[in-house]
Structures are given as C-alpha cells and as structure tokens.
Amino acid sequence: MSVPTATLRKPASVEHAKRALLARHHVVAPSLKVADAAAASVFGAARLRGPIARDVIAQVTKLSIATVNRQVTALLDAGILRERADLAVSGAIGRPRVPVEVNHEPFLTLGIHIGARTTSIVATDLFGRTLDVVETPTPRGAQAAALATLAASARRYLSRWHRRTPLWVGVAAGGVVDGTTGYLDHQRLGWSDAPVGPVLAETLGLPVSVASHVDAMAGAELLLGVRRQPTQSSTSLYVYARETVGYALSIGGRVHSPASGPGTIAALPAHSELLGGSGQLESTVSDEAVLIAARKARIIPAEGPASTMTTLVRSARQGNQQAHALLAERARVLGEAVALLRDMLNPDDLVVGGQAFTEYPEGMSLVEAAYAERSVLPARDIRVTAFGNRVQEAGAGVVSLGGLYSDPIGAMRRAQSRRPEVSA
C-alpha cells in the first residue's frame, strides 16, 4: 500500500476535538488477538467446542472449576451463552453438568470493508460466519459527503435485520488507520484525517472499531481460521495482494499494529517486461497493472463491462495462452516477493490472501515455485487463506467481533448501553 507510515502530530485543538468525539461516541481500538482473560477463554471454548460442559471448559482452558462456574454464570446473564438442558448427561445432578453454547441467533455484528473501488457491508454472527453481504461502489467526492453516504448505507442495511440485535461495527480499510480514534488517512480515496469511526458511531448508535484491512485479514486467520493455538513466541506472516499489496505480522497470538500505521511493501523492487509497471511491486502485480497489460495485448476489450479480471481469468481457463501467461507472470513476481519477505522476517507460519492469489488458484503452483527458487532459507510451505475470495469480508467481520472475543462481558455492556437506534 503506497501510503505514508507516519503522520504529522495534530494541533492540540484537533486532538481536543477528537477526545470530545470519543467521549460522546463508542469508538474502541480494535482487538485482533487471542485473549487469555477468564471470560474470553470460557467464551472461546464454547464458541469453538460447544455445546460444552463446565468441567470440560475447565480442562481445555486450565481454569479452576470455580472460575469457570463464575464466568459461565456471568456470560449467561449477559445473554451470549445459553444452557442446553436437553443435552445434560443422563443421571447427572446439578447445573454444572448442563452443557452451554453460544447464544448466537439473537445477535449480529456489522463489518464494513472500504476498498479503493468497492465497499462490502457484512452481517456476521457470533461464530464469525457471514450471514449476508452486499457490495456497493465506494463513495467518491468530498470526504464528508462520502462518509455520510457510507454511514447511511450501513444504516439502511441494519434496518433490514428485525430479528437480530446489532452489537458492534467493525471497519477494515486501506491507508493509515488510527485505531484509538477511528480516524483514517486514505491517499487513494483522497481522505485525510477522516473521522470514520465517529461518523459511524453517531449514525448507527453502536460501538465502532476501525483497523487496517491487512491487519484485519491477518486477524481473521488468527481468530477464525481455527488452526492450532499460537504460543507466546510463535509468529505468522500474512501477505495480501489485489489492487494493493500489504503485509501483517502476528506475534504470540496478536496482530502487530504499529501506532503510526502499517508498513508498506508497495515499493519493493519487482521487474516484469510482460506486466510493465514502474519497477515496484504494487504497480507490477495490482489488478489494474494486469488489466492494462491485457488490454494492450487485446486479450480483453479496452473498455466496457468485459474489461475485467473475471474476463481475463475466464479466458485463461478456456485456453487463451496470452491470458495464462499474464497471470503466470503475476504469480512469479508475487512468489519472489513473498520469498523476500519470508527471508527477512522468517515467520513460523506463512499465509497469503487476496484475489491475486485466490481468484486464479491454478497459479498458486507457480507462486510456490518462484518462492522456493528465490528463498535462501530452509523450505517452508505457503498456506493460502482459509477464506478464499471472501477474505475482505472475513477481515471486516473479525474487527466487529474482536472486542467481543477479548472481553465478552464488557463488550455486551458497551453494546447494550448504546443510544436507541432511529428508524431508517
């Protein structure tokens, strides 16, 4: 992502105005980590293993049965766990033998992925499963008007959900995100110090968290990918490519999010005669770079509804060798870039995501071959995201769920103390 990695210090008057907004609204820093607090551990056990008995929760969390009982009671009172008396062990006496599970039907969270061209609005249940998603063009024009349009779209979308109570809003976006205030600098959209979090909190009357979109996607792998639990020293590298490129590093079960915003790999050296570009990674492998090359070669029309990546991928699958060559060249460049990042950071786990990797899965063998040839370290497998072409919505969804997963009781209190919603 070709964005600055630091922002100038804002004047005191601006900071004071931000604090006033935060005091009035529920803007909460995103929580993209595997939490170990007692309530979070108990809720996590129910989410991943439920229906589950209290003694089994104690075994898997290493908490005392007394602690588990207290937390289960608190989570039942908060309404996000429910008992399953119908599943109680035959002949067992007492409530501790009654299994509990996540009470997911009454609730949803709202995720919003703000892309350079398209914005996705996602309804997610408490397991992180997508209930529904709609896509709309990202609003253009003046920043304030664009934010108002975005918030109004989210409000109309929420008005459709009559049987579920919304708890939280999570926003994932490119650019430089200040997670504490919910403000965003997004060069490609022309947004500077945009109050994304406060505007959505004001319009929707819900707690809002805002995160970098690549951090969010790495968080989805961490919290929703359901692989082995990370240790305190384990590291995972997530590399993203579509219209932009980016990376995120998870350390000890927490996505590392620098206060000054994410680093950038947009300007990593990359060379391709076939794809052109400026000798930099993003301008070589982005969707637009590939499409420009495809139009130049007359593989797809110069303009119109067929001048898309979908058409190019379809042509490659139908045997068009020029189309396949472009996608293969993109795969080679990406594989070499992944090798460079892996060799610099040497993570325990290596994950790639974004449609540059997933929309043409036939090219992954070429990514892996270029990666293996370029890397100088011992062999390590590349893992493709568990979310395929839906990784953007998974990222937005996990930002909306992170607060609940790390502090379920506190999150429910925040959500339930929100101002009454106004009808759409």
Side-chain angles (χ1 to χ4, degrees):
M1 295 167 290
S2 52
V3 295
T5 58
T7 54
L8 296 176
R9 187 178 181 83
K10 306 291 188 300
S13 59
V14 177
E15 293 296 342
H16 178 76
K18 284 185 179 181
R19 286 195 294 272
L21 276 172
L22 292 175
R24 194 164 79 238
H25 305 306
H26 290 302
V27 177
V28 184
S31 181
L32 302 175
K33 63 180 181 180
V34 177
D36 56 4
S41 296
V42 171
F43 183 72
R47 177 172 67 90
L48 297 174
R49 298 168 178 259
I52 185 171
R54 292 163 174 80
D55 58 342
V56 180
I57 294 175
Q59 292 172 16
V60 300
T61 62
K62 311 301 181 187
L63 297 171
S64 70
I65 190 65
T67 298
V68 168
N69 283 331
R70 285 196 300 272
Q71 299 304 326
V72 167
T73 298
L75 292 165
L76 289 169
D77 290 343
I80 52 173
L81 287 189
R82 64 186 176 193
E83 293 184 315
R84 291 292 306 273
D86 57 312
L87 298 179
V89 177
S90 178
I93 300 174
R95 289 182 67 196
R97 296 300 299 168
V98 177
V100 294
E101 66 181 7
V102 174
N103 187 26
H104 62 95
E105 284 97 343
F107 306 112
L108 65 81
T109 62
L110 188 73
I112 302 173
H113 177 265
I114 304 173
R117 297 184 178 183
T118 303
T119 290
S120 300
I121 303 177
V122 188
T124 304
D125 73 6
L126 300 191
F127 290 105
R129 299 177 301 201
T130 296
L131 300 171
D132 181 64
V133 59
V134 296
E135 291 190 347
T136 181
T138 298
R140 299 290 175 176
Q143 175 176 299
L147 287 178
T149 299
L150 182 66
S153 295
R155 183 174 183 152
R156 285 193 300 272
Y157 182 77
L158 273 182
S159 71
R160 295 164 39 187
W161 295 89
H162 303 295
R163 297 184 179 180
R164 288 181 183 257
T165 300
L167 299 177
W168 209 280
V169 180
V171 181
V176 178
V177 173
D178 185 335
T180 303
T181 64
Y183 278 63
L184 169 66
D185 290 332
H186 198 303
Q187 189 178 59
R188 297 189 66 175
L189 294 179
W191 294 3
S192 177
D193 217 25
V196 175
V199 167
L200 286 168
E202 172 75 18
T203 303
L204 303 178
L206 291 168
V208 179
S209 298
V210 186
S212 156
H213 70 155
V214 183
D215 285 356
M217 288 180 261
E221 296 294 332
L222 191 65
L223 295 174
L224 303 178
V226 192
R227 300 184 79 242
R228 62 182 182 276
Q229 286 289 95
T231 66
Q232 290 186 347
S233 61
S234 63
T235 57
S236 177
L237 172 65
Y238 184 88
V239 182
Y240 172 81
R242 188 183 188 182
E243 192 57 54
T244 60
V245 294
Y247 79 99
L249 190 64
S250 299
I251 305 171
R254 178 191 293 266
V255 178
H256 176 60
S257 301
S260 58
T264 177
I265 59 173
L268 282 182
H271 177 73
S272 171
E273 294 287 348
L274 194 58
L275 293 174
S278 62
Q280 298 181 344
L281 181 61
E282 186 168 282
S283 64
T284 302
V285 301
S286 70
D287 278 4
E288 187 57 30
V290 177
L291 288 173
I292 288 171
R295 291 166 188 147
K296 185 177 179 180
R298 299 184 178 180
I299 303 169
I300 59 175
E303 56 186 19
S307 187
T308 64
M309 285 298 301
T310 300
T311 303
L312 180 63
V313 170
R314 185 185 304 119
S315 295
R317 287 179 175 152
Q318 291 173 347
N320 186 310
Q321 290 304 308
Q322 284 182 295
H324 174 74
L326 283 178
L327 296 172
E329 179 69 351
R330 182 196 219 183
R332 179 193 67 79
V333 175
L334 283 169
E336 292 184 353
V338 170
L340 181 60
L341 286 168
R342 184 268 170 125
D343 287 358
M344 285 192 297
L345 299 170
N346 196 20
D348 300 311
D349 192 29
L350 178 58
V351 188
V352 297
Q355 280 77 354
F357 295 104
T358 60
E359 194 164 19
Y360 189 60
E362 298 92 326
M364 267 309 298
S365 61
L366 303 173
V367 172
E368 292 166 343
Y371 157 79
E373 184 175 348
R374 179 66 180 268
S375 178
V376 299
L377 294 180
R380 179 158 297 155
D381 290 341
I382 299 176
R383 181 165 61 86
V384 180
T385 175
F387 302 100
N389 280 351
R390 303 175 70 181
V391 67
Q392 288 87 359
E393 65 189 63
V398 86
V399 178
S400 72
L401 288 165
L404 187 76
Y405 286 0
S406 66
D407 181 12
I409 296 171
M412 290 298 289
R413 286 176 184 151
R414 279 185 183 272
Q416 290 165 355
S417 67
R418 71 191 188 281
R419 294 176 294 109
E421 295 177 43
V422 181
S423 303

